[in-house]
Amino acid sequence: LFSEKHRMPFLTQRKLVEMRINSKDEIALQFEINRQAVNMIREQQTIINKMIAEAAKNSSKISVVHGDQWCTSGLLMLTVSKLRHQLCHKYNVVSGVRICQCVVRSIEMLIGMLAILSVGAIYVPLNPNDPIDRLAMLIEDIEPILILTQTELLKKLQTATASLNVEIETRTETESARTGQSIPLYVLPRFNAD
């Protein structure tokens, strides 16, 4: 391909496998970095575990403020625990299931999110400002086992889920009122720090 006069002398003198791209200093640095032992096994803590530990240390410390509402670490974790208990025992929520939450930004939103994550479920937020058709499409695609919402969004979600066999359930209704194939729509109680 190349005539003898066009060949580069350094190519003819060494084999390709003997050629280095990095300088000797760069190679030494790579070996130095790779020789350092790092313990990669650490205790993995979820955000829930960190919040529980923080709440145990400072239960009276204010941890959430939204508008004129506020909540201490202890009260937040107590409320999350109550909802978590309901999710586990009343709705048989287990790790890996999908739970939607359609709420406006509020402390209730945080409580719902933390409770969902603490049981190991998959948190799927729904935007309450989305059109009804979009909400219906998302709920149908996601196939959640439960939808958490607020009283003021109940009618919108009822309209969005009219064709999806969704059961509306509030805190006061009993579990025996549920039907087999429906998606429960749980209305979160209003948060009150008092």
Side-chain angles (χ1 to χ4, degrees):
L1 186 65
F2 290 106
S3 65
E4 281 297 318
K5 66 178 185 176
H6 288 57
R7 282 199 183 156
M8 296 181 195
F10 65 87
L11 289 178
T12 58
Q13 296 173 358
R14 287 197 269 169
K15 293 180 184 177
L16 186 59
V17 293
E18 295 173 349
M19 296 178 74
R20 299 270 182 211
I21 296 172
N22 298 341
S23 70
K24 289 181 182 180
D25 293 336
E26 291 172 327
I27 293 169
L29 180 61
Q30 286 176 336
F31 280 114
E32 178 66 28
I33 291 171
N34 288 332
R35 254 195 314 260
Q36 297 174 359
V38 176
N39 183 5
M40 297 304 279
I41 301 171
R42 293 186 204 153
E43 185 180 324
Q44 298 293 322
Q45 270 202 324
T46 64
I47 190 167
I48 302 297
N49 292 343
K50 289 179 181 180
M51 289 186 78
I52 290 170
E54 188 62 32
K57 284 189 240 172
N58 304 309
S59 63
S60 60
K61 187 176 179 183
I62 294 177
S63 63
V64 180
V65 176
H66 182 267
D68 59 347
Q69 287 185 315
W70 56 271
C71 184
T72 63
S73 296
L75 183 57
L76 177 67
M77 294 319 296
L78 177 67
T79 311
V80 167
S81 289
K82 285 179 182 178
L83 182 54
R84 179 178 191 241
H85 181 77
Q86 280 191 319
L87 293 177
C88 289
H89 294 94
K90 189 172 184 179
Y91 297 101
N92 299 317
V93 172
V94 293
S95 182
V97 299
R98 292 176 299 277
I99 299 178
C100 290
Q101 179 171 264
C102 185
V103 296
V104 295
R105 238 177 242 276
S106 60
I107 292 180
E108 291 91 356
M109 179 185 198
L110 179 64
I111 291 167
M113 181 181 2
L114 292 174
I116 291 167
L117 294 173
S118 70
V119 296
I122 300 167
Y123 171 72
V124 184
L126 296 175
N127 186 346
N129 297 323
D130 279 348
I132 292 171
D133 293 340
R134 174 148 172 79
L135 287 172
M137 180 192 71
L138 287 170
I139 293 168
E140 187 174 17
D141 285 349
I142 294 165
E143 297 178 345
I145 65 157
L146 180 66
I147 303 170
L148 302 182
T149 190
Q150 294 164 314
T151 308
E152 58 267 21
L153 298 171
L154 203 50
K155 287 190 182 193
K156 185 172 189 174
L157 280 171
Q158 283 174 322
T159 305
T161 58
S163 64
L164 300 176
N165 192 22
V166 173
E167 172 194 335
I168 307 304
E169 184 173 320
T170 62
R171 291 180 65 219
T172 56
E173 293 183 52
T174 62
E175 189 172 354
S176 60
R178 293 183 59 208
T179 58
Q181 295 295 323
S182 64
I183 304 170
L185 190 59
Y186 180 81
V187 179
L188 290 167
R190 221 2 110 216
F191 177 79
N192 188 359
D194 300 331

